[in-house]
């Protein structure tokens, strides 16, 4: 009997990998690795603060992008309450209200605009 057919020899002797399998493997490895939260510069933080305040005072619709290890989560709505000491905000969305942590916010845009990434 050939050595290739014994134990795990068949797999080990096969070194060829299809391009689509290689791409899928690379994508899978990227999804397994957790991302790090981006740091915001002062100008971006000030712009986000202005948009959050306008949403609360004027009732403007905004889209908030929250950091997550694998992919950002976006919510669209208007701010009902800002609690600066607790660093949270309450967002009224189409599905109801959501309490969000302000330290997880990576981007705020007026509703209907796309994020620059």
């Amino acid at each position: 009997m050939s050595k290739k057919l014994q134990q795990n020899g068949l797999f080990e002797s096969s070194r060829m990998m299809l391009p689509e399998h290689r791409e899928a493997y690379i994508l899978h490895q990227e999804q397994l690795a957790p991302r790090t939260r981006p740091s915001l510069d002062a100008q971006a933080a000030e712009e986000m603060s202005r948009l959050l305040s306008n949403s609360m005072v004027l009732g403007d619709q905004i889209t908030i992008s929250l950091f997550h290890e694998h992919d950002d989560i976006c919510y669209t709505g208007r701010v009902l309450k800002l609690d600066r000491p607790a660093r949270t905000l309450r967002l009224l969305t189409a599905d109801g209200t959501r309490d969000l942590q302000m330290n997880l916010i990576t981007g705020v845009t007026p509703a209907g605009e796309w994020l620059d990434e």
Side-chain angles (χ1 to χ4, degrees), residues 48 51 62-66 72-75 105-110 112-117:
M48 288 187 339
L51 288 170
I62 57 171
T63 299
I64 297 177
S65 176
L66 295 177
D72 287 344
I73 302 169
C74 293
Y75 295 108
I105 296 175
T106 58
V108 178
T109 58
E113 290 186 14
W114 293 98
L115 292 174
D116 296 332
E117 293 193 30

Side-chain angles (χ1 to χ4, degrees), residues 48-86:
M48 288 187 339
S49 178
R50 184 185 64 79
L51 288 170
L52 290 172
S53 296
N54 283 351
S55 176
M56 187 174 71
V57 174
L58 303 175
D60 296 341
Q61 291 279 329
I62 57 171
T63 299
I64 297 177
S65 176
L66 295 177
F67 174 78
H68 191 264
E69 288 180 348
H70 300 293
D71 196 16
D72 287 344
I73 302 169
C74 293
Y75 295 108
T76 301
R78 66 181 178 92
V79 178
L80 294 178
K81 178 182 175 185
L82 280 172
D83 190 2
R84 293 190 192 273

Side-chain angles (χ1 to χ4, degrees):
M1 193 180 234
S2 172
K3 182 179 188 248
K4 286 186 180 180
L5 299 178
Q6 296 173 354
Q7 296 172 351
N8 199 16
L10 184 63
F11 180 74
E12 291 176 359
S13 67
S14 175
R15 302 281 183 211
M16 190 178 101
M17 187 180 239
L18 294 175
E20 51 269 12
H21 292 166
R22 182 178 180 277
E23 291 170 9
Y25 177 74
I26 291 171
L27 181 63
H28 177 70
Q29 290 299 322
E30 288 174 356
Q31 290 176 349
L32 289 179
R35 300 184 315 156
T36 58
R37 184 171 45 215
S39 60
L40 300 172
D41 62 348
Q43 185 177 3
E46 185 178 331
E47 178 69 16
M48 288 187 339
S49 178
R50 184 185 64 79
L51 288 170
L52 290 172
S53 296
N54 283 351
S55 176
M56 187 174 71
V57 174
L58 303 175
D60 296 341
Q61 291 279 329
I62 57 171
T63 299
I64 297 177
S65 176
L66 295 177
F67 174 78
H68 191 264
E69 288 180 348
H70 300 293
D71 196 16
D72 287 344
I73 302 169
C74 293
Y75 295 108
T76 301
R78 66 181 178 92
V79 178
L80 294 178
K81 178 182 175 185
L82 280 172
D83 190 2
R84 293 190 192 273
R87 307 269 309 147
T88 60
L89 64 90
R90 181 162 293 159
L91 188 72
L92 177 64
T93 64
D95 299 332
T97 60
R98 294 195 178 267
D99 291 328
L100 307 175
Q101 293 181 358
M102 290 170 62
N103 62 341
L104 295 178
I105 296 175
T106 58
V108 178
T109 58
E113 290 186 14
W114 293 98
L115 292 174
D116 296 332
E117 293 193 30

